[in-house]
Amino acid sequence: MIYLDNAATTKTAPEVVQAMLPYFTEQYGNPSTIYGLGAEAKKALNQARRTIAAAIGAKQEEIYFTAGGSESDNWALKAAAEAYSQKGRHIITSKIEHHAILHTCEYLEKQGYEVTYLDVDNDGLVDPEQLKAAIRPDTILISIMYANNEIGTVEPIAELGAIARERGILFHTDAVQALGQVPVNVDELNVDMLSASAHKLNGPKGVGMLYIRTGVKIRSFVHGGAQERSRRAGTENVPGIVGFAAAVERAMKDLDGKMKKETELRDYLISRVENEIPYCRLNGHRTKRLPGNVNFSFQFIEGESMLIMLDMKGICASSGSACTSGSLDPSHVLLAIGLKHEIAHGSLRLTLSEENTTEEIDVVVEELKRIVAKLREMSPLYEDFISKKGAK
Ligand SMILES: *Cc1c(COP(=O)(O)O)cnc(C)c1O
């Protein structure tokens, strides 16, 4: 099997599993209890919080553990909107956010908030000038993702965050695709809130965190016990949190080396596809891009068909249609960067990890060449295109 869907989820690293195991077995105490067993769990929890805080330049009391990226995004938007509703009811985000942000915004619109969805350019970049122009006296919150999960474009968060700060507006970033892939520092980025998720960086599924800068007013998300400074009740997912911290530690150990390796492999894959497969288009910014992200549109064919044929060869990838929702609509991200429906439908996302090799990429390119040619052979659109071209 060749796994090229690391933006969907990643393999839990063996050392992460090892770090978690004792907290399922001997160290099963509840961190809220006062006897030794609970104290051990509490210690592990505090240590994990320190590790993650240090990795993003935050204070440990600014890290709140959640059940993943979607929960963190929901919490940041809903609770901040509520807490600041006296000041105004206008929120700004972008058209290429993850559904955890977009659907939360739609929910907030039903609650009487107004949301501005910023356009992006053909590479998927948010324009700081457009952000400035969208800000109103009643704007209370801006949420722009750090890096896009489909096309890999990395947004100018430090610049956007500075604009928000200058005007006294809360700034949140969904950094789920960024943490462990590119440097993340909450002060350098000028952010007030930041979401992350363990399973996107070789940690376990179902655990994430929301960074909330000291001084930010925000409502509790889960009401109940006093866990997470009374803001997110519920007995902590101790093994998951320990695994999250182990994954962060692992990713930070040689982030530069990992980025360099993945970037080289990414650019090798991009150049081979561009040189060897006609009528394709690279989606996302060429350089302001996650080290492991490759996204192409292939004219005249369907992404879904490519996925099925790649799967038959043991290659895991992802396409540009919202197949998860059962709809055949092309992805909102590909439409936002200006792709026509039929082009967006022929999209393929390949996301790398540092474990992928040049040999694997060579296998994938050869398969892709074969698959694209075969699908085009069966495509009436392609036939039409070629006959018109011949007629000229
Ligand atoms: C995966 C992802 C999420 C959701 O995270 P979960 O932990 O799966 O809930 C949110 N935002 C982005 C950008 C993602 O890639």
Side-chain angles (χ1 to χ4, degrees):
M1 190 187 82
I2 301 177
Y3 188 74
L4 295 182
D5 204 14
N6 286 281
T9 196
T10 56
K11 178 170 81 182
T12 311
E15 58 263 50
V16 170
V17 176
Q18 280 306 316
M20 292 172 73
L21 281 177
Y23 297 92
F24 288 109
T25 52
E26 304 92 58
Q27 300 295 350
Y28 54 82
N30 184 325
S32 300
T33 57
I34 57 162
Y35 42 81
L37 192 63
E40 279 303 315
K42 179 98 189 159
K43 224 165 82 185
L45 206 58
N46 290 339
Q47 182 54 47
R49 209 183 300 280
R50 275 196 294 277
T51 300
I52 293 174
I56 64 167
K59 301 198 255 315
Q60 67 179 92
E61 66 271 19
E62 296 173 320
I63 304 295
Y64 296 84
F65 290 114
T66 66
S70 299
E71 182 185 315
S72 299
D73 285 346
N74 270 259
W75 183 9
L77 265 55
K78 289 176 188 169
E82 195 186 330
Y84 288 82
S85 61
Q86 296 303 317
K87 188 185 158 209
R89 298 194 133 229
H90 180 236
I91 297 165
I92 302 173
T93 187
S94 84
K95 286 189 179 161
I96 62 161
E97 300 296 312
H98 189 272
H99 282 139
I101 295 290
L102 290 179
H103 290 169
T104 302
C105 284
E106 285 164 23
Y107 166 83
L108 287 169
E109 284 180 296
K110 290 195 188 106
Q111 305 302 308
Y113 291 85
E114 246 186 279
V115 182
T116 299
Y117 299 89
L118 295 177
D119 286 319
V120 293
D121 69 10
N122 292 335
D123 291 326
L125 284 171
V126 170
D127 176 7
E129 291 307 315
Q130 277 190 25
L131 174 64
K132 277 186 203 163
I135 291 173
R136 313 191 316 208
D138 60 339
T139 306
I140 49 168
L141 173 66
I142 299 168
S143 180
I144 306 288
M145 73 201 313
Y146 191 163
N148 185 268
N149 46 304
E150 292 187 38
I151 57 173
T153 298
V154 177
E155 301 295 339
I157 295 302
E159 198 181 341
L160 301 172
I163 292 168
R165 177 147 312 159
E166 211 179 279
R167 288 159 179 78
I169 301 165
L170 212 55
F171 191 91
H172 166 260
T173 190
D174 174 340
V176 173
Q177 289 290 335
L179 186 65
Q181 316 299 328
V182 291
V184 173
N185 180 289
V186 293
D187 287 338
E188 285 167 15
L189 292 173
N190 301 312
V191 299
D192 301 305
M193 295 188 286
L194 178 145
S195 304
S197 177
H199 77 102
K200 302 286 175 79
L201 61 141
N202 305 99
K205 292 167 183 60
V207 56
M209 64 99 173
L210 180 63
Y211 155 79
I212 307 175
R213 188 177 289 280
T214 304
V216 168
K217 275 197 298 181
I218 192 163
R219 299 286 158 86
S220 302
F221 194 59
V222 179
H223 302 275
Q227 293 93 349
E228 302 301 298
R229 299 158 64 86
S230 294
R231 284 172 157 183
R232 201 274 185 187
T235 303
E236 300 87 344
N237 174 2
V238 179
I241 291 166
V242 167
F244 188 6
V248 167
E249 225 167 10
R250 176 185 175 277
M252 296 305 157
K253 217 180 285 160
D254 182 23
L255 186 60
D256 287 343
K258 179 179 131 96
M259 284 173 63
K260 187 168 177 288
K261 183 166 182 260
E262 281 183 29
T263 303
E264 278 171 14
L265 207 55
R266 176 196 77 188
D267 292 342
Y268 174 68
L269 173 55
I270 290 174
S271 81
R272 278 208 64 185
V273 170
E274 285 184 328
N275 289 323
E276 298 174 45
I277 306 183
Y279 312 117
C280 68
R281 174 198 198 274
L282 177 71
N283 296 316
H285 197 281
R286 201 167 281 273
T287 53
K288 293 172 186 165
R289 179 179 201 99
L290 286 173
N293 177 288
V294 176
N295 188 313
F296 272 103
S297 292
F298 298 95
Q299 256 177 282
F300 317 113
I301 57 179
E302 294 283 332
E304 300 290 294
S305 316
M306 272 188 277
L307 286 192
I308 293 163
M309 291 173 76
L310 284 168
D311 182 39
M312 291 195 292
K313 296 289 171 182
I315 299 165
C316 305
S318 170
S319 84
S321 358
C323 48
T324 43
S325 64
S327 100
L328 284 175
D329 288 343
S331 120
H332 63 284
V333 177
L334 297 177
L335 295 181
I337 62 171
L339 296 199
K340 293 202 189 83
H341 276 244
E342 65 269 24
I343 303 290
H345 271 306
S347 300
L348 183 72
R349 179 185 73 180
L350 303 165
T351 43
L352 317 173
S353 80
E354 77 271 27
E355 285 182 15
N356 290 122
T357 61
T358 311
E359 291 71 35
E360 285 180 321
I361 297 306
D362 287 332
V363 171
V364 171
V365 172
E366 291 309 321
E367 285 302 337
L368 257 182
K369 281 161 70 174
R370 191 185 59 81
I371 289 168
V372 170
K374 189 160 180 181
L375 288 171
R376 281 181 179 163
E377 236 170 69
M378 304 188 296
S379 158
L381 289 171
Y382 186 62
E383 199 182 330
D384 198 40
F385 172 77
I386 292 298
S387 66
K388 276 193 192 132
K389 214 177 130 200
K392 265 186 206 156

